[in-house]
Amino acid sequence: MHSSRSGFSYSLVVLVTLFLLMLQARLWAPYWDTHNVQAILTWDAMGYYLYLPAKLIYNDLAYLRFVPDIMREYSPSSSFYQAFQVPDGPEGALVMKYTCGLAVLWTPFFWLGHWAAGWLDYPQDGFSAPYQVAIAFAGLCYGLLGLGLLRRVLLRYYSEVATTLVLVTLVLGSNYLQYAVFDSAMAHTYLFTGYALLLWLTVRWHERPSRGRALAIGLTLGLLILIRPSEAVAGVLPLLWGVTSLTAARQKLQLLLTRWPDVLLLAAGALLGVLPQALYWYWATGHFLFYSYGDQHFSFLRPHTWEVLFSFRKGWLLYSPLLLLPVAGLVVLWRRQRTLAVPVLAYFLLNLWVVSAWDIWWYGGSLGQRALVQSYAVLALPWAAALNWLLAPERRALVQGTAVVLGGLLLSLNLFQHWQYMRSIIHPEEMNRRYYLAVFNKTMPTQADYALLDVKTQLPRAERYYQRRLLGKLDFEQGAVDTVTGITAELGYFSRQSYHADAAHAYSPSLTLRLGDTGMAPGQYLRASCRVYSDYGAWANKLVMVVERAGKTIVWNGVRLQNNLSINRNWNEVYFDAPFPEEAQPDDVLRVYILNEQGSGCFIDDLQAEAFSPK
C-alpha cells in the first residue's frame, strides 16, 4: 500500500473535506418542500421507495390504496407510473415497476424519518419532510462509504497523491456530484458504493482467498442486481481479476476448481442477494422472474453508443469531458498493469454496450449520462493510472502544466453546468445542439435562447440590426366573453379580456394573415409572440405559428409557454423567430395560435405576428 513517509494521509483529509462540501451543497439546495415536485422522493425515486411505506406504514403492498392521497398531497410525479395492474391478477392488484434494492438499503433511514415525523408532529405518512430529509442524507452517507472504500482500493496500487487527485476530480469533475448530493435518491450513488465494495472484496480475496470473502462478493453482486438487474455485468470483475492471458485464465480456472466451496458460496450469496425480489414477484404475480418494465426493452443489436457518448442530448463525454482522462487511462493501465486492465476494460465495454442498448438511452431527466455514474468506481483504476503517468518525474513540465490548466477548466465547467442544471438552464431531458451552444457559459439565457429547445432558428444577429414591423395582433377585446371560445373578462394584459387556455380548449382563436398582404419576402424573419399568465406554470401549452396552403400545413413551428424565465402570477412574454418561407406563395395563410396539449390552465393575451427585416 502506498502512503506518505510521515504517515499523514492527504487522501483521507481530502475525502473528509469533499464530504463536508457535499453536505453543504445538499443544505444549499435542500428541496425539503414536499409540495414541490423537486422534493427527494419523486418520479423514479418514489418507485424505488414505495415498498417501505406500503409495507411498514399502510400494510398494503398489494393494492397501494394510499397512493392517491399521496399523489394529491405531495405531487411526486405527474402521473402514477411506478406500479401497474398485475397481468391476469385480481382487479386493482398492483406490482411495482422498480426492484426493492434501494428500499432494503433505506430501511434504517426510513425508520429514522418515521420517528422524527412523530417527534416533530409531521404526518407519519412516509412522504412528509422528515422522510425526505432522512432519504436525502442516506445518499450522502452511502456516498461517503463508497468514496472511502474506493480510496482503500486505490491505495493498494497508487500513491496518496494520485488517489487524492482521483477523489477530487471524480467528485468535482463529473456528474457523480449530482447523484451523490442533489438526486441522491436515485440508484447511482448506491451502485457506485456497491462497486467500490465489490472491488475491495475482490482485491482481498485474490490476495488471501477465504470463504467469508467469497460469500461477501456474492452478496455484493446480488445486492447490485437487486438494485438494478442490468448490473449483473459486474460479475466480470471478480471473474477476470488477475487474468492477463490464456495461461493466466487457465490458472484462474484451476484456482476456482481448487477452491470450489468458495465458488459455491459466492453463487449462494448472489442468489441470497436477489431473493427478496424473487419472493416479492412470486407473491405479487405468481412468477419468481417477472419483467416489470412493460414496453421498455433492450435492443442489443442496435445500441445507441454514439448518442450515449457524444450527443448534445445526453452525451457522457460532452457533459463530463473530464471523463476522457480515465478513458485514456485504459491505455496506460493496459501497458503497465495488465492484471487490472483486463477486468476493467471488459467491464467497461460490456457495461457501455448494455447501457447503450436500452431503448430509452437518455434515461429520462438527468445531467449528462447518469446510467454510467456507478461505473466511475471501476474507472477510478485507469483514472489513477492516467494521473500517475502525468505525475511521473520524467514527464515534461509543459505537459504537466497543460494538464493542470485543462483540468482546472474542466472542473470549473462541470461545477458551472451543475449550477445551470439546478437552475433549469440545462434541460433535464430535451437538450439539443443549438440550445446547448446558445446557453453555454450563460447565467441568464434569453427567451430567444429558450425557444431553441423547440425551434431550429433564431435571428442571426441582434435585434438592433433589424427593422421591426407589426403584422397583426389579437388582444381578444372584440370577442364576446364565452366559455365555449375560452374568452374571459377575468384577467387581461393592458386590457379587459384575454383567452383562457385549458384542457377543454385545445386550440385558441387564431391570428390569421394572408402572406401576400404582409409585404414580406425571403430573407426576412417572422416573430410570433404572446403574453402568458399562470398560477403555477403554463405547462403543456405551446405558442404555434403555421403557414397553410389550401388548408394544409406546409410549415409548423411551436414553442412551450413555460421556461426558466417564467414568473408565476405575472404576465410573461413568450416569442420565437422563424425565417419567412422561401417557398411561400401570396395566397398562403399565416396563423398564430395557442395549443393546449392536456396541460395546465393559463391566460393568453396580445397574440401577435411581427416582421423583422435586415436594416
Side-chain angles (χ1 to χ4, degrees), residues 31 33-49 71 74-79 81-82 98 106 127 132 135 182-183 185-186:
Y31 295 136
D33 179 3
T34 50
H35 291 275
N36 186 322
V37 295
Q38 296 186 81
I40 308 303
L41 297 170
T42 57
W43 303 99
D44 291 3
M46 177 192 180
Y48 289 114
Y49 174 76
M71 296 294 289
Y74 300 107
S75 301
S77 56
S78 58
S79 63
Y81 63 89
Q82 295 86 348
Y98 300 100
W106 281 333
F127 286 84
Q132 308 276 345
I135 299 304
F182 304 112
D183 291 329
M186 297 297 287

Side-chain angles (χ1 to χ4, degrees), residues 128-191:
S128 61
Y131 299 93
Q132 308 276 345
V133 174
I135 299 304
F137 283 94
L140 286 172
C141 291
Y142 280 108
L144 176 62
L145 175 62
L147 292 171
L149 287 167
L150 182 61
R151 170 182 170 270
R152 297 290 298 273
V153 172
L154 292 176
L155 287 174
R156 308 297 284 193
Y157 305 102
Y158 301 104
S159 66
E160 278 276 348
V161 175
T163 299
T164 299
L165 289 175
V166 169
L167 294 176
V168 170
T169 52
L170 190 155
V171 172
L172 301 181
S174 77
N175 55 344
Y176 170 83
L177 180 66
Q178 183 67 32
Y179 297 95
V181 177
F182 304 112
D183 291 329
S184 57
M186 297 297 287
H188 309 290
T189 188
Y190 302 90
L191 291 169

Side-chain angles (χ1 to χ4, degrees), residues 460-473:
R461 305 176 71 188
E463 287 189 21
R464 65 179 179 272
Y465 295 107
Y466 295 86
Q467 182 177 356
R468 187 173 182 174
R469 178 167 56 92
L470 180 66
L471 299 177
K473 180 177 180 179

Side-chain angles (χ1 to χ4, degrees), residues 190-234:
Y190 302 90
L191 291 169
F192 175 95
T193 298
Y195 274 103
L197 177 60
L198 180 65
L199 289 173
W200 174 244
L201 292 170
T202 298
V203 169
R204 295 301 303 275
W205 187 90
H206 283 82
E207 289 176 348
R208 187 178 176 184
S210 72
R211 295 177 181 178
R213 288 170 182 163
L215 177 62
I217 290 174
L219 286 170
T220 304
L221 281 171
L223 181 59
L224 287 170
I225 297 169
L226 188 66
I227 296 173
R228 196 170 183 172
S230 59
E231 302 306 326
V233 297

